[in-house]
PDB file of all heavy atoms in Angstrom:
ATOM      1  N   PRO A  79    -103.578 -83.470-156.813  1.00 97.00           N
ATOM      2  CA  PRO A  79    -104.023 -83.580-155.452  1.00 97.00           C
ATOM      3  C   PRO A  79    -104.221 -85.088-155.070  1.00 97.00           C
ATOM      4  O   PRO A  79    -104.607 -85.922-155.925  1.00 97.00           O
ATOM      5  CB  PRO A  79    -105.376 -82.850-155.423  1.00 97.00           C
ATOM      6  CG  PRO A  79    -105.211 -81.828-156.506  1.00 97.00           C
ATOM      7  CD  PRO A  79    -104.420 -82.475-157.550  1.00 97.00           C
ATOM      8  N   LEU A  80    -103.872 -85.430-153.834  1.00 97.00           N
ATOM      9  CA  LEU A  80    -103.890 -86.774-153.381  1.00 97.00           C
ATOM     10  C   LEU A  80    -105.258 -87.445-153.592  1.00 97.00           C
ATOM     11  O   LEU A  80    -105.356 -88.658-153.901  1.00 97.00           O
ATOM     12  CB  LEU A  80    -103.450 -86.886-151.914  1.00 97.00           C
ATOM     13  CG  LEU A  80    -101.950 -86.617-151.749  1.00 97.00           C
ATOM     14  CD1 LEU A  80    -101.653 -86.369-150.281  1.00 97.00           C
ATOM     15  CD2 LEU A  80    -101.104 -87.781-152.243  1.00 97.00           C
ATOM     16  N   THR A  81    -106.321 -86.713-153.324  1.00 98.00           N
ATOM     17  CA  THR A  81    -107.666 -87.262-153.581  1.00 98.00           C
ATOM     18  C   THR A  81    -108.308 -86.537-154.769  1.00 98.00           C
ATOM     19  O   THR A  81    -108.483 -85.311-154.672  1.00 98.00           O
ATOM     20  CB  THR A  81    -108.568 -87.032-152.328  1.00 98.00           C
ATOM     21  OG1 THR A  81    -107.968 -87.638-151.205  1.00 98.00           O
ATOM     22  CG2 THR A  81    -109.946 -87.691-152.552  1.00 98.00           C
ATOM     23  N   PRO A  82    -108.521 -87.201-155.875  1.00 98.00           N
ATOM     24  CA  PRO A  82    -109.139 -86.519-157.008  1.00 98.00           C
ATOM     25  C   PRO A  82    -110.481 -85.896-156.603  1.00 98.00           C
ATOM     26  O   PRO A  82    -111.231 -86.410-155.745  1.00 98.00           O
ATOM     27  CB  PRO A  82    -109.370 -87.689-158.066  1.00 98.00           C
ATOM     28  CG  PRO A  82    -108.349 -88.703-157.677  1.00 98.00           C
ATOM     29  CD  PRO A  82    -108.246 -88.639-156.150  1.00 98.00           C
ATOM     30  N   LEU A  83    -110.825 -84.794-157.240  1.00 98.00           N
ATOM     31  CA  LEU A  83    -112.003 -84.033-156.833  1.00 98.00           C
ATOM     32  C   LEU A  83    -113.289 -84.855-156.884  1.00 98.00           C
ATOM     33  O   LEU A  83    -114.086 -84.797-155.972  1.00 98.00           O
ATOM     34  CB  LEU A  83    -112.101 -82.740-157.696  1.00 98.00           C
ATOM     35  CG  LEU A  83    -113.205 -81.757-157.231  1.00 98.00           C
ATOM     36  CD1 LEU A  83    -113.007 -81.324-155.790  1.00 98.00           C
ATOM     37  CD2 LEU A  83    -113.125 -80.501-158.141  1.00 98.00           C
ATOM     38  N   PRO A  84    -113.540 -85.650-157.965  1.00 98.00           N
ATOM     39  CA  PRO A  84    -114.805 -86.435-157.966  1.00 98.00           C
ATOM     40  C   PRO A  84    -114.815 -87.465-156.845  1.00 98.00           C
ATOM     41  O   PRO A  84    -115.908 -87.754-156.337  1.00 98.00           O
ATOM     42  CB  PRO A  84    -114.698 -87.085-159.372  1.00 98.00           C
ATOM     43  CG  PRO A  84    -113.797 -86.260-160.192  1.00 98.00           C
ATOM     44  CD  PRO A  84    -112.781 -85.750-159.231  1.00 98.00           C
ATOM     45  N   VAL A  85    -113.668 -87.989-156.479  1.00 98.00           N
ATOM     46  CA  VAL A  85    -113.604 -88.907-155.376  1.00 98.00           C
ATOM     47  C   VAL A  85    -113.916 -88.265-154.060  1.00 98.00           C
ATOM     48  O   VAL A  85    -114.641 -88.692-153.184  1.00 98.00           O
ATOM     49  CB  VAL A  85    -112.248 -89.651-155.308  1.00 98.00           C
ATOM     50  CG1 VAL A  85    -112.163 -90.617-154.120  1.00 98.00           C
ATOM     51  CG2 VAL A  85    -111.976 -90.419-156.622  1.00 98.00           C
ATOM     52  N   TYR A  86    -113.363 -87.046-153.866  1.00 98.00           N
ATOM     53  CA  TYR A  86    -113.610 -86.237-152.700  1.00 98.00           C
ATOM     54  C   TYR A  86    -115.137 -85.944-152.578  1.00 98.00           C
ATOM     55  O   TYR A  86    -115.678 -86.015-151.476  1.00 98.00           O
ATOM     56  CB  TYR A  86    -112.836 -84.963-152.792  1.00 98.00           C
ATOM     57  CG  TYR A  86    -113.010 -84.016-151.600  1.00 98.00           C
ATOM     58  CD1 TYR A  86    -112.493 -84.232-150.350  1.00 98.00           C
ATOM     59  CD2 TYR A  86    -113.831 -82.863-151.769  1.00 98.00           C
ATOM     60  CE1 TYR A  86    -112.673 -83.349-149.288  1.00 98.00           C
ATOM     61  CE2 TYR A  86    -114.064 -81.994-150.710  1.00 98.00           C
ATOM     62  CZ  TYR A  86    -113.447 -82.223-149.506  1.00 98.00           C
ATOM     63  OH  TYR A  86    -113.682 -81.364-148.433  1.00 98.00           O
ATOM     64  N   ARG A  87    -115.750 -85.601-153.673  1.00 98.00           N
ATOM     65  CA  ARG A  87    -117.200 -85.336-153.711  1.00 98.00           C
ATOM     66  C   ARG A  87    -117.938 -86.562-153.163  1.00 98.00           C
ATOM     67  O   ARG A  87    -118.814 -86.409-152.329  1.00 98.00           O
ATOM     68  CB  ARG A  87    -117.631 -84.993-155.137  1.00 98.00           C
ATOM     69  CG  ARG A  87    -119.132 -84.720-155.207  1.00 98.00           C
ATOM     70  CD  ARG A  87    -119.581 -84.598-156.690  1.00 98.00           C
ATOM     71  NE  ARG A  87    -119.021 -83.401-157.314  1.00 98.00           N
ATOM     72  CZ  ARG A  87    -119.554 -82.205-157.325  1.00 98.00           C
ATOM     73  NH1 ARG A  87    -120.725 -82.014-156.682  1.00 98.00           N
ATOM     74  NH2 ARG A  87    -119.001 -81.195-157.987  1.00 98.00           N
ATOM     75  N   ASP A  88    -117.579 -87.729-153.642  1.00 98.00           N
ATOM     76  CA  ASP A  88    -118.230 -88.972-153.189  1.00 98.00           C
ATOM     77  C   ASP A  88    -118.001 -89.192-151.664  1.00 98.00           C
ATOM     78  O   ASP A  88    -118.903 -89.574-150.930  1.00 98.00           O
ATOM     79  CB  ASP A  88    -117.699 -90.168-153.969  1.00 98.00           C
ATOM     80  CG  ASP A  88    -118.293 -91.468-153.559  1.00 98.00           C
ATOM     81  OD1 ASP A  88    -119.473 -91.634-153.588  1.00 98.00           O
ATOM     82  OD2 ASP A  88    -117.489 -92.316-153.119  1.00 98.00           O
ATOM     83  N   PHE A  89    -116.727 -88.988-151.257  1.00 98.00           N
ATOM     84  CA  PHE A  89    -116.386 -89.251-149.856  1.00 98.00           C
ATOM     85  C   PHE A  89    -117.164 -88.311-148.867  1.00 98.00           C
ATOM     86  O   PHE A  89    -117.661 -88.814-147.838  1.00 98.00           O
ATOM     87  CB  PHE A  89    -114.872 -89.019-149.608  1.00 98.00           C
ATOM     88  CG  PHE A  89    -114.024 -90.164-150.066  1.00 98.00           C
ATOM     89  CD1 PHE A  89    -112.673 -89.923-150.286  1.00 98.00           C
ATOM     90  CD2 PHE A  89    -114.521 -91.441-150.243  1.00 98.00           C
ATOM     91  CE1 PHE A  89    -111.854 -90.993-150.756  1.00 98.00           C
ATOM     92  CE2 PHE A  89    -113.714 -92.477-150.693  1.00 98.00           C
ATOM     93  CZ  PHE A  89    -112.363 -92.234-150.934  1.00 98.00           C
ATOM     94  N   VAL A  90    -117.296 -87.089-149.179  1.00 98.00           N
ATOM     95  CA  VAL A  90    -118.025 -86.176-148.223  1.00 98.00           C
ATOM     96  C   VAL A  90    -119.491 -86.572-148.117  1.00 98.00           C
ATOM     97  O   VAL A  90    -120.040 -86.485-147.012  1.00 98.00           O
ATOM     98  CB  VAL A  90    -117.862 -84.661-148.600  1.00 98.00           C
ATOM     99  CG1 VAL A  90    -116.400 -84.243-148.477  1.00 98.00           C
ATOM    100  CG2 VAL A  90    -118.392 -84.337-149.947  1.00 98.00           C
ATOM    101  N   VAL A  91    -120.061 -86.994-149.202  1.00 98.00           N
ATOM    102  CA  VAL A  91    -121.452 -87.454-149.124  1.00 98.00           C
ATOM    103  C   VAL A  91    -121.569 -88.739-148.284  1.00 98.00           C
ATOM    104  O   VAL A  91    -122.496 -88.859-147.425  1.00 98.00           O
ATOM    105  CB  VAL A  91    -122.059 -87.676-150.535  1.00 98.00           C
ATOM    106  CG1 VAL A  91    -123.417 -88.332-150.488  1.00 98.00           C
ATOM    107  CG2 VAL A  91    -122.097 -86.382-151.293  1.00 98.00           C
ATOM    108  N   ARG A  92    -120.678 -89.624-148.461  1.00 98.00           N
ATOM    109  CA  ARG A  92    -120.652 -90.846-147.680  1.00 98.00           C
ATOM    110  C   ARG A  92    -120.369 -90.603-146.211  1.00 98.00           C
ATOM    111  O   ARG A  92    -120.945 -91.266-145.351  1.00 98.00           O
ATOM    112  CB  ARG A  92    -119.683 -91.848-148.275  1.00 98.00           C
ATOM    113  CG  ARG A  92    -120.088 -92.382-149.647  1.00 98.00           C
ATOM    114  CD  ARG A  92    -119.017 -93.072-150.400  1.00 98.00           C
ATOM    115  NE  ARG A  92    -118.596 -94.252-149.731  1.00 98.00           N
ATOM    116  CZ  ARG A  92    -117.514 -95.010-150.131  1.00 98.00           C
ATOM    117  NH1 ARG A  92    -116.730 -94.554-151.125  1.00 98.00           N
ATOM    118  NH2 ARG A  92    -117.238 -96.150-149.509  1.00 98.00           N
ATOM    119  N   ILE A  93    -119.468 -89.672-145.916  1.00 98.00           N
ATOM    120  CA  ILE A  93    -119.228 -89.300-144.516  1.00 98.00           C
ATOM    121  C   ILE A  93    -120.517 -88.754-143.844  1.00 98.00           C
ATOM    122  O   ILE A  93    -120.869 -89.122-142.786  1.00 98.00           O
ATOM    123  CB  ILE A  93    -118.123 -88.273-144.437  1.00 98.00           C
ATOM    124  CG1 ILE A  93    -116.757 -88.832-144.808  1.00 98.00           C
ATOM    125  CG2 ILE A  93    -118.009 -87.645-143.019  1.00 98.00           C
ATOM    126  CD1 ILE A  93    -115.631 -87.821-144.972  1.00 98.00           C
ATOM    127  N   HIS A  94    -121.192 -87.872-144.626  1.00 98.00           N
ATOM    128  CA  HIS A  94    -122.466 -87.359-144.156  1.00 98.00           C
ATOM    129  C   HIS A  94    -123.435 -88.471-143.768  1.00 98.00           C
ATOM    130  O   HIS A  94    -124.070 -88.443-142.688  1.00 98.00           O
ATOM    131  CB  HIS A  94    -123.109 -86.427-145.176  1.00 98.00           C
ATOM    132  CG  HIS A  94    -124.539 -86.019-144.897  1.00 98.00           C
ATOM    133  ND1 HIS A  94    -124.855 -84.897-144.174  1.00 98.00           N
ATOM    134  CD2 HIS A  94    -125.704 -86.669-145.182  1.00 98.00           C
ATOM    135  CE1 HIS A  94    -126.125 -84.821-144.011  1.00 98.00           C
ATOM    136  NE2 HIS A  94    -126.691 -85.874-144.634  1.00 98.00           N
ATOM    137  N   ARG A  95    -123.531 -89.440-144.657  1.00 98.00           N
ATOM    138  CA  ARG A  95    -124.514 -90.526-144.414  1.00 98.00           C
ATOM    139  C   ARG A  95    -124.072 -91.360-143.201  1.00 98.00           C
ATOM    140  O   ARG A  95    -124.933 -91.735-142.426  1.00 98.00           O
ATOM    141  CB  ARG A  95    -124.590 -91.431-145.642  1.00 98.00           C
ATOM    142  CG  ARG A  95    -125.257 -90.754-146.887  1.00 98.00           C
ATOM    143  CD  ARG A  95    -125.124 -91.596-148.100  1.00 98.00           C
ATOM    144  NE  ARG A  95    -125.733 -90.961-149.253  1.00 98.00           N
ATOM    145  CZ  ARG A  95    -125.526 -91.277-150.504  1.00 98.00           C
ATOM    146  NH1 ARG A  95    -124.699 -92.305-150.797  1.00 98.00           N
ATOM    147  NH2 ARG A  95    -126.129 -90.645-151.511  1.00 98.00           N
ATOM    148  N   ASN A  96    -122.777 -91.636-143.059  1.00 98.00           N
ATOM    149  CA  ASN A  96    -122.315 -92.377-141.890  1.00 98.00           C
ATOM    150  C   ASN A  96    -122.563 -91.623-140.602  1.00 98.00           C
ATOM    151  O   ASN A  96    -122.941 -92.177-139.563  1.00 98.00           O
ATOM    152  CB  ASN A  96    -120.829 -92.785-142.096  1.00 98.00           C
ATOM    153  CG  ASN A  96    -120.618 -93.891-143.027  1.00 98.00           C
ATOM    154  OD1 ASN A  96    -121.615 -94.396-143.634  1.00 98.00           O
ATOM    155  ND2 ASN A  96    -119.406 -94.372-143.197  1.00 98.00           N
ATOM    156  N   LEU A  97    -122.253 -90.319-140.609  1.00 98.00           N
ATOM    157  CA  LEU A  97    -122.468 -89.528-139.384  1.00 98.00           C
ATOM    158  C   LEU A  97    -123.944 -89.504-139.012  1.00 98.00           C
ATOM    159  O   LEU A  97    -124.286 -89.559-137.842  1.00 98.00           O
ATOM    160  CB  LEU A  97    -121.931 -88.106-139.563  1.00 98.00           C
ATOM    161  CG  LEU A  97    -120.436 -87.982-139.707  1.00 98.00           C
ATOM    162  CD1 LEU A  97    -120.022 -86.531-139.944  1.00 98.00           C
ATOM    163  CD2 LEU A  97    -119.712 -88.508-138.448  1.00 98.00           C
ATOM    164  N   ARG A  98    -124.823 -89.448-140.005  1.00 97.00           N
ATOM    165  CA  ARG A  98    -126.229 -89.492-139.765  1.00 97.00           C
ATOM    166  C   ARG A  98    -126.649 -90.782-139.109  1.00 97.00           C
ATOM    167  O   ARG A  98    -127.544 -90.811-138.250  1.00 97.00           O
ATOM    168  CB  ARG A  98    -126.978 -89.181-141.083  1.00 97.00           C
ATOM    169  CG  ARG A  98    -128.501 -89.181-140.979  1.00 97.00           C
ATOM    170  CD  ARG A  98    -129.027 -88.132-139.984  1.00 97.00           C
ATOM    171  NE  ARG A  98    -128.680 -86.802-140.311  1.00 97.00           N
ATOM    172  CZ  ARG A  98    -128.326 -85.868-139.476  1.00 97.00           C
ATOM    173  NH1 ARG A  98    -128.236 -86.174-138.145  1.00 97.00           N
ATOM    174  NH2 ARG A  98    -128.093 -84.631-139.804  1.00 97.00           N
ATOM    175  N   ILE A  99    -126.058 -91.904-139.601  1.00 97.00           N
ATOM    176  CA  ILE A  99    -126.364 -93.228-138.971  1.00 97.00           C
ATOM    177  C   ILE A  99    -125.828 -93.265-137.528  1.00 97.00           C
ATOM    178  O   ILE A  99    -126.510 -93.725-136.611  1.00 97.00           O
ATOM    179  CB  ILE A  99    -125.722 -94.349-139.829  1.00 97.00           C
ATOM    180  CG1 ILE A  99    -126.469 -94.426-141.155  1.00 97.00           C
ATOM    181  CG2 ILE A  99    -125.820 -95.668-139.054  1.00 97.00           C
ATOM    182  CD1 ILE A  99    -125.776 -95.349-142.152  1.00 97.00           C
ATOM    183  N   LEU A 100    -124.618 -92.758-137.322  1.00 97.00           N
ATOM    184  CA  LEU A 100    -123.960 -92.887-136.004  1.00 97.00           C
ATOM    185  C   LEU A 100    -124.593 -91.900-135.027  1.00 97.00           C
ATOM    186  O   LEU A 100    -124.690 -92.269-133.797  1.00 97.00           O
ATOM    187  CB  LEU A 100    -122.466 -92.563-136.172  1.00 97.00           C
ATOM    188  CG  LEU A 100    -121.618 -93.601-136.921  1.00 97.00           C
ATOM    189  CD1 LEU A 100    -120.197 -93.025-137.125  1.00 97.00           C
ATOM    190  CD2 LEU A 100    -121.529 -94.863-136.110  1.00 97.00           C
ATOM    191  N   PHE A 101    -125.060 -90.757-135.488  1.00 97.00           N
ATOM    192  CA  PHE A 101    -125.621 -89.765-134.593  1.00 97.00           C
ATOM    193  C   PHE A 101    -126.953 -89.263-135.177  1.00 97.00           C
ATOM    194  O   PHE A 101    -126.997 -88.146-135.719  1.00 97.00           O
ATOM    195  CB  PHE A 101    -124.638 -88.622-134.404  1.00 97.00           C
ATOM    196  CG  PHE A 101    -123.277 -89.000-133.899  1.00 97.00           C
ATOM    197  CD1 PHE A 101    -122.240 -89.193-134.803  1.00 97.00           C
ATOM    198  CD2 PHE A 101    -123.051 -89.276-132.568  1.00 97.00           C
ATOM    199  CE1 PHE A 101    -120.963 -89.583-134.354  1.00 97.00           C
ATOM    200  CE2 PHE A 101    -121.797 -89.653-132.114  1.00 97.00           C
ATOM    201  CZ  PHE A 101    -120.748 -89.835-132.978  1.00 97.00           C
ATOM    202  N   PRO A 102    -127.994 -90.071-135.149  1.00 96.00           N
ATOM    203  CA  PRO A 102    -129.186 -89.746-135.883  1.00 96.00           C
ATOM    204  C   PRO A 102    -129.909 -88.460-135.471  1.00 96.00           C
ATOM    205  O   PRO A 102    -130.701 -87.919-136.190  1.00 96.00           O
ATOM    206  CB  PRO A 102    -130.098 -90.962-135.610  1.00 96.00           C
ATOM    207  CG  PRO A 102    -129.551 -91.601-134.369  1.00 96.00           C
ATOM    208  CD  PRO A 102    -128.076 -91.327-134.404  1.00 96.00           C
ATOM    209  N   ASN A 103    -129.661 -88.003-134.242  1.00 95.00           N
ATOM    210  CA  ASN A 103    -130.326 -86.831-133.727  1.00 95.00           C
ATOM    211  C   ASN A 103    -129.469 -85.550-133.738  1.00 95.00           C
ATOM    212  O   ASN A 103    -129.894 -84.496-133.305  1.00 95.00           O
ATOM    213  CB  ASN A 103    -130.871 -87.072-132.322  1.00 95.00           C
ATOM    214  CG  ASN A 103    -131.877 -88.210-132.267  1.00 95.00           C
ATOM    215  OD1 ASN A 103    -132.771 -88.299-133.141  1.00 95.00           O
ATOM    216  ND2 ASN A 103    -131.719 -89.126-131.341  1.00 95.00           N
ATOM    217  N   ALA A 104    -128.238 -85.702-134.219  1.00 98.00           N
ATOM    218  CA  ALA A 104    -127.350 -84.537-134.126  1.00 98.00           C
ATOM    219  C   ALA A 104    -127.502 -83.635-135.341  1.00 98.00           C
ATOM    220  O   ALA A 104    -127.756 -84.109-136.448  1.00 98.00           O
ATOM    221  CB  ALA A 104    -125.872 -85.049-134.065  1.00 98.00           C
ATOM    222  N   LYS A 105    -127.271 -82.371-135.139  1.00 98.00           N
ATOM    223  CA  LYS A 105    -127.060 -81.429-136.268  1.00 98.00           C
ATOM    224  C   LYS A 105    -125.708 -81.744-136.846  1.00 98.00           C
ATOM    225  O   LYS A 105    -124.721 -82.050-136.106  1.00 98.00           O
ATOM    226  CB  LYS A 105    -127.132 -79.983-135.800  1.00 98.00           C
ATOM    227  CG  LYS A 105    -128.492 -79.430-135.516  1.00 98.00           C
ATOM    228  CD  LYS A 105    -128.378 -77.933-135.249  1.00 98.00           C
ATOM    229  CE  LYS A 105    -129.740 -77.308-135.214  1.00 98.00           C
ATOM    230  NZ  LYS A 105    -129.644 -75.815-135.070  1.00 98.00           N
ATOM    231  N   LEU A 106    -125.538 -81.640-138.149  1.00 98.00           N
ATOM    232  CA  LEU A 106    -124.275 -81.806-138.755  1.00 98.00           C
ATOM    233  C   LEU A 106    -123.840 -80.468-139.378  1.00 98.00           C
ATOM    234  O   LEU A 106    -124.654 -79.783-140.042  1.00 98.00           O
ATOM    235  CB  LEU A 106    -124.357 -82.903-139.848  1.00 98.00           C
ATOM    236  CG  LEU A 106    -124.758 -84.304-139.447  1.00 98.00           C
ATOM    237  CD1 LEU A 106    -124.712 -85.261-140.649  1.00 98.00           C
ATOM    238  CD2 LEU A 106    -123.878 -84.812-138.351  1.00 98.00           C
ATOM    239  N   ALA A 107    -122.570 -80.151-139.241  1.00 98.00           N
ATOM    240  CA  ALA A 107    -122.015 -78.938-139.753  1.00 98.00           C
ATOM    241  C   ALA A 107    -120.663 -79.182-140.324  1.00 98.00           C
ATOM    242  O   ALA A 107    -119.811 -79.795-139.726  1.00 98.00           O
ATOM    243  CB  ALA A 107    -121.903 -77.856-138.617  1.00 98.00           C
ATOM    244  N   PHE A 108    -120.419 -78.685-141.572  1.00 98.00           N
ATOM    245  CA  PHE A 108    -119.165 -78.874-142.261  1.00 98.00           C
ATOM    246  C   PHE A 108    -118.408 -77.567-142.163  1.00 98.00           C
ATOM    247  O   PHE A 108    -118.919 -76.471-142.489  1.00 98.00           O
ATOM    248  CB  PHE A 108    -119.365 -79.231-143.700  1.00 98.00           C
ATOM    249  CG  PHE A 108    -118.114 -79.398-144.472  1.00 98.00           C
ATOM    250  CD1 PHE A 108    -117.348 -80.529-144.369  1.00 98.00           C
ATOM    251  CD2 PHE A 108    -117.659 -78.369-145.313  1.00 98.00           C
ATOM    252  CE1 PHE A 108    -116.143 -80.694-145.063  1.00 98.00           C
ATOM    253  CE2 PHE A 108    -116.472 -78.509-146.036  1.00 98.00           C
ATOM    254  CZ  PHE A 108    -115.707 -79.668-145.893  1.00 98.00           C
TER     255      PHE A 108
END
Side-chain angles (χ1 to χ4, degrees):
L80 288 166
T81 304
L83 189 56
V85 177
Y86 178 77
R87 181 188 293 271
D88 177 61
F89 282 161
V90 295
V91 172
R92 292 166 65 187
I93 291 169
H94 169 91
R95 291 172 181 165
N96 282 5
L97 292 176
R98 181 56 63 217
I99 292 169
L100 292 170
F101 305 97
N103 299 315
K105 282 189 171 185
L106 300 182
F108 179 80

